[in-house]
Amino acid sequence: MKQNKMDYPLLVITLILVSFGLLMVFSSSYYFAIDKMQNKMHFFTADLSFIILGVFAMLVASAVDYKVYRKFAIPLFFLSMFLLIYVLFKGTVVNDARRWITVAGQRFQPAEVAKIGLIMFFAFSLEKNYTKLNQPKILGVYVLIIASVVLLIMKQPNMSTAVILAGVMAVMLFVAGLRWIYVLLFGAAGGFIGWLLVHNAPYRLNRMIAFLDPFKYKNDESWQVINSLYALGTGGIFGVGIGMSTQNKLYIPEPQNDFILATVGEELGLIGTVGLLILFLILLYRCVKIAMNAPDIFSTLLATGISTMLGLQILMNYAVATSSMPATGVSLPFISYGGTSISILLGSIGIMLNISKSTIKRTHKNDD
């Protein structure tokens, strides 16, 4: 066995995605920025500053030995829980949701911090308890943690992030050795809880009804989805060209955010959306490969959590933009505008790059 160097393909693909995302943020936000900010460069310059910060975080994280994160797992977990509670009382309200904390004039989402904080904590804790994971008392503690986190995030409300985090933690439990019977029970319980959440919140129920017949509600609940479909349809195979989108001219609210894929599809066509998806699949392949070849349980679970987080966000964003699932707010990794998100994601890639330095490359030799 011999040790690998840093996973440079992962680094290159990440930088390609970030550069492409910056271009699409400018193209998609151009008219919205003029209308709302009187500055066509507003979102581009803001996104660029967050990307610079994120790349710096990635480089630092790639240089820090991943083993060091064991020391910060518990403090970061408690910080994440504190921020999730704090935002419910002192958070900034935007579009009827209390998801942001404002510090020195800058907003950040504690849920984004919680993603990496909980992934790190679960990796640390499961490394110590994986042999006892299927004992009811031990498993019950993890279930309580997941339920607490989901409840806090749902109170913001932010169902998409709650679903992603629950999915990430469930996958980490499974990789750590959770029995199939518990996986099935968790799935059933999650489905039931989801049903309750939809039926007890009129706006979620309306979204579900609109999902079943989006064109019937094209002027209300399905406005964003229908305009996203119009954009994707208009783009055809080759697209109408960069900067030539019609739907992002104030038809799609905040087109640089959750529905940025619509602009990609309209301006670059099917080739653009499929090409982007292929890049994402290569990115995920590199991440999963790192997780599979990680040198210890902690790094395996840490890489698994980050890979799952990325995969779920990509899957959900594509599904929402194509009306393959009910509309919910989830950004497209490295492409959508968003300060906290892009910084955390790039920092997470830095952790993956550091783990890749320690992965073991197994070479097969012929027996003579």
Side-chain angles (χ1 to χ4, degrees):
M1 296 190 297
K2 71 176 183 178
Q3 206 170 36
N4 286 334
K5 296 180 180 179
M6 179 190 289
D7 193 319
Y8 288 106
L10 176 61
L11 174 62
V12 171
I13 291 169
T14 300
L15 293 177
I16 290 173
L17 286 169
V18 169
S19 300
F20 178 71
L22 183 62
L23 171 65
M24 296 315 301
V25 164
F26 175 67
S27 182
S28 61
S29 68
Y30 185 89
Y31 289 97
F32 181 75
I34 292 174
D35 182 66
K36 301 296 181 181
M37 309 294 178
Q38 291 75 52
N39 178 6
K40 63 185 179 183
M41 304 293 290
H42 173 81
F43 293 102
F44 175 85
T45 53
D47 199 44
L48 179 59
S49 64
F50 289 126
I51 287 173
I52 292 172
L53 177 63
V55 169
F56 176 76
M58 180 177 69
L59 294 175
V60 171
S62 68
V64 175
D65 191 331
Y66 72 87
K67 299 181 185 71
V68 172
Y69 297 120
R70 286 189 178 99
K71 300 178 181 179
F72 297 99
I74 292 178
L76 191 54
F77 168 73
F78 283 110
L79 174 63
S80 298
M81 296 300 289
F82 169 76
L83 291 174
L84 290 177
I85 294 171
Y86 180 85
V87 74
L88 297 179
F89 296 95
K90 299 292 185 178
T92 302
V93 178
V94 179
N95 296 330
D96 298 322
R98 194 181 294 273
R99 302 176 185 174
W100 291 265
I101 293 175
T102 303
V103 178
Q106 295 294 323
R107 293 201 308 245
F108 74 94
Q109 285 187 276
E112 297 295 331
V113 178
K115 285 180 183 178
I116 192 64
L118 287 161
I119 288 172
M120 206 170 287
F121 172 76
F122 262 56
F124 170 79
S125 179
L126 287 170
E127 182 185 40
K128 295 181 176 297
N129 296 306
Y130 74 98
T131 58
K132 303 176 287 185
L133 179 58
N134 290 289
Q135 296 178 12
K137 289 184 179 179
I138 300 297
L139 183 56
V141 173
Y142 287 108
V143 172
L144 180 61
I145 292 172
I146 294 173
S148 300
V149 171
V150 169
L151 178 62
L152 287 171
I153 295 176
M154 288 299 299
K155 294 289 289 183
Q156 295 182 8
N158 191 347
M159 187 171 184
S160 59
T161 299
V163 169
I164 289 170
L165 265 176
V168 168
M169 290 184 281
V171 170
M172 292 180 72
L173 287 171
F174 176 70
V175 171
L178 186 66
R179 291 176 184 167
W180 272 104
I181 183 63
Y182 291 126
V183 174
L184 295 174
L185 287 174
F186 281 161
F192 177 69
I193 293 171
W195 180 84
L196 288 178
L197 291 172
V198 168
H199 282 266
N200 289 332
Y203 76 94
R204 292 195 190 106
L205 183 59
N206 290 338
R207 284 184 180 181
M208 180 63 71
I209 294 171
F211 165 69
L212 298 174
D213 189 1
F215 283 92
K216 183 178 179 180
Y217 302 92
K218 63 181 180 180
N219 293 321
D220 299 299
E221 293 292 334
S222 297
W223 175 263
Q224 285 180 292
V225 170
I226 292 300
N227 281 286
S228 176
L229 294 176
Y230 285 156
L232 295 172
T234 301
I237 295 177
F238 299 104
V240 298
I242 294 288
M244 302 303 292
S245 170
T246 299
Q247 296 304 315
N248 66 23
K249 294 180 174 64
L250 308 183
Y251 288 99
I252 299 177
E254 301 186 32
Q256 72 279 358
N257 290 338
D258 301 338
F259 280 87
I260 196 169
L261 186 65
T263 299
V264 175
E266 186 174 7
E267 296 188 347
L268 299 176
L270 182 64
I271 290 177
T273 54
V274 172
L276 180 59
L277 182 59
I278 290 172
L279 284 176
F280 278 132
L281 290 175
I282 297 172
L283 176 89
L284 292 175
Y285 166 74
R286 303 306 305 184
C287 289
V288 171
K289 186 176 180 181
I290 291 170
M292 292 178 66
N293 293 305
D296 52 48
I297 295 172
F298 175 72
S299 56
T300 295
L301 292 171
L302 186 57
T304 296
I306 293 172
S307 303
T308 305
M309 174 182 69
L310 287 167
L312 287 176
Q313 285 193 216
I314 294 165
L315 175 64
M316 290 177 65
N317 186 276
Y318 264 77
V320 169
T322 57
S323 192
S324 301
M325 67 172 282
T328 185
V330 56
S331 61
L332 187 59
F334 309 114
I335 308 299
S336 295
Y337 171 81
T340 313
S341 176
I342 192 70
S343 300
I344 295 294
L345 287 172
L346 285 170
S348 299
I349 291 296
I351 295 173
M352 296 294 291
L353 291 172
N354 183 265
I355 295 174
S356 74
K357 295 178 184 179
S358 301
T359 54
I360 302 301
K361 182 178 181 181
R362 293 170 172 80
T363 57
H364 300 280
K365 294 182 179 180
N366 295 325
D367 293 328
D368 296 327

